């Protein structure tokens, strides 16, 4: 194993930071949307479903541009967050995390929704007759039984975040140490002639990270699902 | 009266309508399958809402359309033993038994239930490894440990082979005699009513 250079470390650290923050921040949102889509019976559900899936089908550059409009320092949301919470996304790693989160959202919602729909509602009514209110039923029956799908969603979201390119580069540009994650670093290296070795190393890191995430999550699912056979892969 | 039930509910094209009262320690709802027996248990447990009528158990009104009383299922203190057991697949037998035990008002201890039902050897098993008879006993134990004011049992004997049927039947009689908790059970088999010496209520005739 050849040791990573300080520059490569910086890229890896930034990529992990961006992806982990993105997934951590978007998980509760994704679960809430997935639960709503799986359970609610209201008109307008289809519209929310379609909106959530938009980043999956839009050209990423359009998603990035829309983020720029909405979350730029002059955008309606970005301006408000900047003025009231001091939270700025422009040309910063937080913007890369936001782009990754938005791109990961549809995949996470899909995985979580499937597993929530698969929860046997008869078990929930059994819990109710045993004295559990709605919240306890949710926390002790619905949530644990949908955990395999939540884990699958986390892995998919993480993998998607690690690989996020188009929306990030059009939203927050390609700034070393701030928004230059692995794919953006590979892209930057590809622009310079004679950097084949560098590209190869970065690509190898990328494959290793993604593979490691998948294997770790499968191992986790097997441990957690003892007795029930939970799987992510 | 232990059970006073007068309800109607439209389910698709069919309408379920029943009106009965029973003060027997053990009451059986009898009728062909599809007559709505399980739906009546669900309405008593609070899992489905009648269109009209009134449900009272042991003097407490659980549902009354006229006065808009409709207690949530978790406050009705029903010990519901489902036909399909509904043990929690992600919890071992011990945790399943104890699921409803925290709500207070329990009148039987864990050790007593384990001894009564003979489930001591099963405590560390996962539900999916249990036989039908074992799962049935665990489901009964879980209902008892939740401190119920009454028991609802949906076809407790139907899915069992003959030996298990005698065993669970004897167990129901022991619960009736030793624990003095009113039991309402559903069956499609007249012989079970006779065997258990239950008060007979016909449904859907």
């Amino acid at each position: 194993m050849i040791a990573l250079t300080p520059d490569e470390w910086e890229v890896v650290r930034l990529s992990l930071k961006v992806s982990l923050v993105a997934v951590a921040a978007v998980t509760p949102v994704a679960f809430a949307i997935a639960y709503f889509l799986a359970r609610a019976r209201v008109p307008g559900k289809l519209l929310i479903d379609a909106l959530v899936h938009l980043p999956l089908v839009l050209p990423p550059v359009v998603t990035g541009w829309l983020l720029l409009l909405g979350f730029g320092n002059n955008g309606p949301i970005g301006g408000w967050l900047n003025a009231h919470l001091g939270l700025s996304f422009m040309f910063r790693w937080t913007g890369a995390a936001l782009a990754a989160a938005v791109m990961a959202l549809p995949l996470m919602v899909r995985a979580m929704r499937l597993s929530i729909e698969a929860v046997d509602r008869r078990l929930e009514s059994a819990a109710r007759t045993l004295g559990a209110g709605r919240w306890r039923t949710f926390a002790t029956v619905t949530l644990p039984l949908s955990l395999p799908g939540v884990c699958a969603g986390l892995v998919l979201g993480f993998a998607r975040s690690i690989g996020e390119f188009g929306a990030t580069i059009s939203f927050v540009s390609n700034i070393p140490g701030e928004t230059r994650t692995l794919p953006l670093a590979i892209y930057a290296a590809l622009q310079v002639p004679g950097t084949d070795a560098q590209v190869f190393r970065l690509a190898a890191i990328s494959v290793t990270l993604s593979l490691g995430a998948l294997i770790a999550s499968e191992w986790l699912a097997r441990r957690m699902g003892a007795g029930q056979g939970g799987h992510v892969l | 009266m232990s059970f006073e039930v007068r309800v109607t509910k439209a389910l698709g094209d069919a309408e379920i309508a029943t009106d009965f009262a029973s003060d027997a320690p053990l009451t059986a709802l009898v009728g062909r399958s599809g007559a709505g027996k399980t739906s009546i248990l669900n309405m008593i447990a609070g899992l489905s809402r009648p269109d009209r009528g009134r449900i009272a158990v042991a003097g407490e009104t659980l549902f009354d359309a006229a006065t808009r009383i409709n207690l949530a299922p978790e406050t009705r203190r029903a010990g519901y033993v489902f036909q399909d057991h509904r043990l929690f697949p992600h919890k071992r037998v011990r945790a399943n038994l104890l699921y409803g035990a925290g709500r207070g008002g329990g009148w039987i201890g864990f050790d007593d239930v384990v001894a009564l039902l003979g489930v001591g050897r099963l405590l560390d098993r996962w539900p999916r490894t249990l036989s039908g008879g074992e799962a049935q006993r665990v489901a009964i134990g879980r209902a008892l440990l939740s401190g119920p004011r009454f028991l609802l049992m949906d076809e407790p004997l139907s899915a069992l082979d003959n030996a298990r049927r005698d065993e669970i039947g004897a167990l129901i009689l022991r619960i009736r005699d030793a624990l003095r908790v009113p039991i309402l059970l559903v069956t499609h088999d007249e012989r079970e009513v006779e065997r258990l010496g239950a008060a007979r209520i016909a449904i859907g005739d």
Side-chain angles (χ1 to χ4, degrees):
Chain A
M1 178 81 202
I2 308 144
L4 298 184
T5 67
D7 281 356
E8 286 167 348
W9 262 123
E10 187 182 71
V11 168
V12 169
R13 255 203 317 271
L14 181 68
S15 281
L16 288 176
K17 179 166 84 170
V18 164
S19 300
L20 290 174
V21 167
V23 169
V26 85
T27 295
V29 179
F31 190 87
I33 294 172
Y35 191 86
F36 172 81
L37 291 176
R39 290 292 173 83
R41 270 184 246 143
V42 291
K45 214 171 96 167
L46 191 64
L47 185 67
I48 292 174
D49 203 0
L51 277 176
V52 167
H53 280 83
L54 216 48
L56 206 59
V57 292
L58 275 180
V61 62
V62 174
T63 306
W65 178 70
L66 289 173
L67 284 174
L68 203 54
L69 288 185
F71 289 86
N73 284 345
N74 298 321
I77 310 171
W80 189 90
L81 286 173
N82 199 9
H84 293 87
L85 300 174
L87 183 60
S88 171
F89 295 105
M90 291 312 297
F91 308 113
R92 297 204 52 218
W93 71 271
T94 46
L98 176 64
V102 168
M103 296 302 288
L105 184 69
L107 291 172
M108 296 178 74
V109 168
R110 287 174 75 86
M112 292 176 180
R113 176 185 184 170
L114 282 177
S115 71
I116 294 168
E117 281 171 347
V119 171
D120 189 347
R121 302 201 68 173
R122 294 173 305 168
L123 293 173
E124 296 177 352
S125 44
R128 297 291 298 282
T129 66
L130 289 163
R134 288 178 193 281
W135 275 109
R136 184 168 173 238
T137 300
F138 174 78
T140 58
V141 178
T142 319
L143 188 58
L145 287 177
S146 55
L147 221 47
V150 173
C151 283
L154 290 179
V155 175
L156 282 171
F158 183 76
R160 185 67 190 78
S161 298
I162 282 275
E164 164 46 32
F165 177 78
T168 308
I169 201 164
S170 34
F171 179 33
V172 288
S173 185
N174 189 348
I175 301 163
E178 196 64 56
T179 67
R180 182 169 291 176
T181 54
L182 261 172
L184 276 71
I186 294 171
Y187 174 75
L190 280 170
Q191 303 303 301
V192 183
T195 53
D196 292 356
Q198 201 186 337
V199 170
F200 180 83
R201 286 173 61 95
L202 288 169
I205 295 169
S206 187
V207 170
T208 310
L209 268 183
S210 306
L211 209 58
L214 285 176
I215 290 170
S217 65
E218 177 67 15
W219 176 78
L220 200 72
R222 283 192 189 164
R223 274 196 53 147
M224 274 192 336
Q228 306 142 61
H231 281 288
V232 171
L233 294 177
Chain B
M1 280 292 153
S2 294
F3 295 97
E4 297 165 72
V5 178
R6 173 175 49 80
V7 289
T8 53
K9 183 176 179 64
L11 276 181
D13 292 339
E15 183 177 64
I16 295 164
T18 190
D19 185 355
F20 68 87
S22 171
D23 215 5
L26 184 56
T27 307
L29 302 183
V30 191
R32 54 180 175 74
S33 43
K37 305 185 295 292
T38 300
S39 304
I40 293 168
L41 288 196
N42 284 341
M43 286 187 259
I44 298 172
L47 298 178
S48 103
R49 192 180 186 286
D51 295 336
R52 288 184 301 279
R54 178 170 179 274
I55 298 169
V57 178
E60 189 187 359
T61 303
L62 305 179
F63 174 84
D64 190 348
T67 55
R68 294 179 168 276
I69 291 172
N70 185 19
L71 297 188
E74 61 267 28
T75 61
R76 294 194 180 198
R77 310 196 72 97
Y80 197 162
V81 181
F82 298 91
Q83 185 174 9
D84 48 0
H85 313 316
R86 304 193 192 183
L87 299 179
F88 302 120
H90 58 301
K91 294 176 184 291
R92 291 177 196 267
V93 167
R94 184 191 308 273
N96 263 285
L97 285 170
L98 288 170
Y99 187 86
R103 70 166 141 180
W107 39 260
I108 186 165
F110 182 75
D111 295 338
D112 293 335
V113 166
V114 169
L116 180 73
L117 300 177
V119 293
R121 290 177 304 105
L122 308 176
L123 293 178
D124 290 321
R125 300 256 296 269
W126 294 101
R128 70 184 169 88
T129 69
L130 301 178
S131 69
E134 289 170 338
Q136 181 73 289
R137 280 185 284 154
V138 174
I140 294 173
R142 183 177 69 172
L144 289 176
L145 278 166
S146 70
R149 294 174 56 244
F150 55 100
L151 288 182
L152 304 172
M153 300 179 128
D154 194 358
E155 300 276 9
L157 304 179
S158 63
L160 304 171
D161 58 43
N162 283 331
R164 297 296 133 205
R165 192 172 299 158
D166 289 344
E167 177 192 312
I168 300 287
L171 183 62
I172 292 171
L173 294 180
R174 220 180 314 152
I175 290 168
R176 179 196 67 186
D177 297 335
L179 305 180
R180 301 187 175 285
V181 56
I183 304 173
L184 181 66
L185 66 81
V186 151
T187 179
H188 63 275
D189 187 347
E190 296 281 359
R191 286 169 304 175
E192 284 178 12
V193 183
E194 212 167 301
R195 174 163 31 184
L196 296 170
R200 181 182 181 285
I201 309 282
I203 299 296
D205 286 347

Coordinates of all heavy atoms in Angstrom, one line a residue, chain A residues 43 120 178 198:
Chain A
P43 N -54.5 13.8 -0.8 CA -54.2 14.3 -2.2 C -52.9 15.1 -2.2 O -52.6 15.7 -1.2 CB -55.5 15.2 -2.5 CG -56.0 15.5 -1.2 CD -55.7 14.4 -0.3
D120 N -45.3 -4.9 8.8 CA -46.6 -5.5 9.0 C -47.4 -4.7 10.0 O -47.1 -4.6 11.1 CB -46.4 -7.0 9.5 CG -47.8 -7.7 9.5 OD1 -48.8 -7.1 9.4 OD2 -47.7 -9.0 9.7
E178 N -11.8 23.2 -0.1 CA -13.1 23.7 0.4 C -14.3 22.9 -0.3 O -15.1 22.3 0.4 CB -13.3 25.2 0.1 CG -14.4 25.9 0.8 CD -14.3 25.9 2.3 OE1 -13.2 26.4 2.8 OE2 -15.2 25.4 3.0
Q198 N -1.6 10.3 -11.1 CA -2.4 11.0 -10.1 C -3.9 10.6 -10.2 O -4.5 10.2 -9.2 CB -2.2 12.5 -10.2 CG -2.6 13.3 -9.0 CD -2.5 14.8 -9.4 OE1 -1.9 15.2 -10.3 NE2 -3.2 15.6 -8.6

